[in-house]
Amino acid sequence: MKSFLTEIKDRYGSGDYEGDQFGGARGHNGNGLPTGLPNNFMFATGIECSYPTIDNGKTRRDMLAECDHYNRYKEDLGLVKEMGLKVLRYGLPYYQIQQGPGKYDWEFADLAMGEMQRLGITPILDLMHFGVPDWLGNFQNPELVVHFADYCEQVAKRYPWVRYYTPVNEIYVTAKMSAKDGIWNEQLKSDKAFVTALKHCVAASIMGNQQIAKHRPDCVIVQSESAEFTHELRAEHTSAVQLENLLRFTSLDLLYAHHPEGEVLNYLYDNGMTRREYDWFMAGEPPGYQIMGNDYYGRNEKIMLPNGEMVTSMDVLGWYNITRDYYLRYKKPVMHTETNVFDANEGPTWLWKQWVNILRMRKEGVPVLGFTWYSLIDQIDWDKGMATKTGTVNACGLFDLDRKPRPVADAYKMLLQEYGQITIVPHGELFEVTERPATLKVEV
């Protein structure tokens, strides 16, 4: 298989990438915060937009379709406004829009983006959410990197008013579910396939970020990633579980040019990553203001019992403790980018628990920039990772599928009333706020 570096060289004339070596808009010690954040602290929700394939590519799970957003997008965006929220994590249906090299269908995207602009909603625009267009196949395809970068550039040119982006949502989860757990897309179950998917997703994010920054040099990149951990209840820990707890960092290690632990590096080399590819990732960070988004659900945290059985631990460490590990590793401003619970009656309590986690993090002076209840409306079949299409409604939305409010909607409104005017960080003098635009250090 050709390397993604070859594809980049063929497309752009050079495979070299030096990244942002000098801090860019990240300011003093890499911790600069962007100006112009809506209402300072970003209270947000999201519209679930996953679109992986299952059944060996025969079935497309499009949550925007299954939850009827295509028909009710005006109503859904109106609910965001009604909630008093000004920020929305929103994913355009990439698999529909890019219909071939240089060929795009913007019909629905233009309608939705126009309505958001009319309502004054600030989107954090999600450009790849667990799936790719049929003509690109899956995440094993090295051509994905350059075609996705072209798509990102077209989005940035078409919607120049958008500043906030998530180029590739949950890179680690994307690669794991598609290539190691065998559930989505290529449905492979091997370490080599996992590493291939991982490096293609990270490279796609980097190259997409580069193209966005050409047109929005002050872009803010909110990189959502799943905050995970496995507790191993064995007197002697096994190397496999301990490696898994290190691999959860790998997507951000590659994205942020952070050298991983030796055993992780050996794992990458043993499973197909070349030294040249690794050096490319370690050359520097993508341009723009980089915000580390951590998604946390109780089911992200697991316990392995002595007999090998895996159970959900549900909030043993919690968002605070797990995200703190990520923050100390990367020293990036933080956003809580996803959370929910499937029992509607437990929604309000879970919301308040997550908010307590955020307040605790902020008390330590960590720059937490925002919070997201995900999602606006209920989801379908996420209790089984969308692996089978049974139509089970997961009651995790602020509103149900009839667009009637769940109890958590009132709780979120109460939270907004109490905390709606808080600032980004309690000790802002620790961080340089700069109006300097992010700069593209290297032409690609």
Side-chain angles (χ1 to χ4, degrees), residues 136-396:
L136 278 172
N138 54 53
F139 295 106
Q140 302 299 300
N141 184 357
E143 295 180 9
L144 169 66
V145 175
V146 294
H147 291 300
F148 177 70
D150 288 346
Y151 168 68
C152 291
E153 180 171 26
Q154 293 306 312
V155 171
K157 288 168 63 177
R158 194 170 189 89
Y159 309 113
W161 54 277
V162 175
R163 186 183 182 191
Y164 300 81
Y165 287 93
T166 301
V168 181
N169 174 72
E170 288 192 347
I171 292 171
Y172 174 77
V173 175
T174 300
K176 189 170 185 290
M177 294 285 278
S178 300
K180 196 170 185 181
D181 296 341
I183 296 174
W184 299 336
N185 303 306
E186 53 262 49
Q187 293 187 239
L188 297 176
K189 296 182 179 182
S190 76
D191 292 320
K192 186 172 183 178
F194 167 68
V195 171
T196 299
L198 187 72
K199 66 186 184 183
H200 289 167
C201 286
V202 177
S205 183
I206 290 171
M207 296 306 296
N209 191 162
Q210 288 273 6
Q211 303 313 306
I212 291 167
K214 284 167 55 179
H215 302 278
R216 279 302 303 242
D218 64 345
C219 62
V220 179
I221 305 299
V222 182
Q223 183 54 56
S224 65
E225 190 54 275
S226 179
E228 305 201 355
F229 191 80
T230 299
H231 305 271
E232 187 176 16
L233 297 187
R234 288 170 169 162
E236 293 188 14
H237 289 169
T238 61
S239 58
V241 176
Q242 298 313 301
L243 177 61
E244 196 72 24
N245 279 332
L246 292 175
L247 288 176
R248 66 193 169 117
F249 294 118
T250 312
S251 59
L252 295 181
D253 283 349
L254 297 177
L255 188 69
Y256 295 147
H258 181 283
H259 291 283
E261 291 77 5
E263 54 265 54
V264 172
L265 184 56
N266 287 336
Y267 172 86
L268 294 174
Y269 285 157
D270 289 344
N271 290 289
M273 180 171 287
T274 67
R275 180 61 180 264
R276 183 165 171 261
E277 289 172 338
Y278 178 76
D279 289 345
W280 186 86
F281 286 117
M282 292 300 115
E285 300 185 25
Y289 298 92
Q290 299 292 326
I291 296 173
M292 181 184 66
N294 287 85
D295 304 344
Y296 180 76
Y297 304 95
R299 53 194 180 273
N300 289 27
E301 198 176 344
K302 298 179 176 62
I303 298 174
M304 177 176 278
L305 304 181
N307 64 359
E309 182 184 354
M310 198 74 78
V311 297
T312 299
S313 69
M314 201 69 175
D315 213 25
V316 173
L317 292 176
W319 182 85
Y320 165 81
N321 285 297
I322 296 178
T323 297
R324 190 171 183 273
D325 287 344
Y326 284 79
Y327 174 73
L328 293 175
R329 191 177 183 95
Y330 305 112
K331 296 296 176 66
K332 301 290 184 192
V334 176
M335 182 171 178
H336 195 329
T337 34
E338 286 184 26
T339 196
N340 68 41
V341 65
F342 286 156
D343 187 330
N345 294 322
E346 294 179 4
T349 300
W350 185 259
L351 174 82
W352 293 115
K353 286 173 70 174
Q354 297 310 300
W355 187 246
V356 168
N357 276 253
I358 286 174
L359 294 180
R360 184 180 177 190
M361 188 80 85
R362 286 165 52 84
K363 189 175 182 180
E364 294 187 6
V366 175
V368 184
L369 275 61
F371 169 74
T372 314
W373 182 271
Y374 199 85
S375 51
L376 178 74
I377 54 178
D378 287 350
Q379 301 171 11
I380 295 175
D381 290 340
W382 258 109
D383 56 310
K384 56 185 75 67
M386 297 185 294
T388 56
K389 194 168 185 177
T390 59
T392 302
V393 176
N394 306 133
C396 58

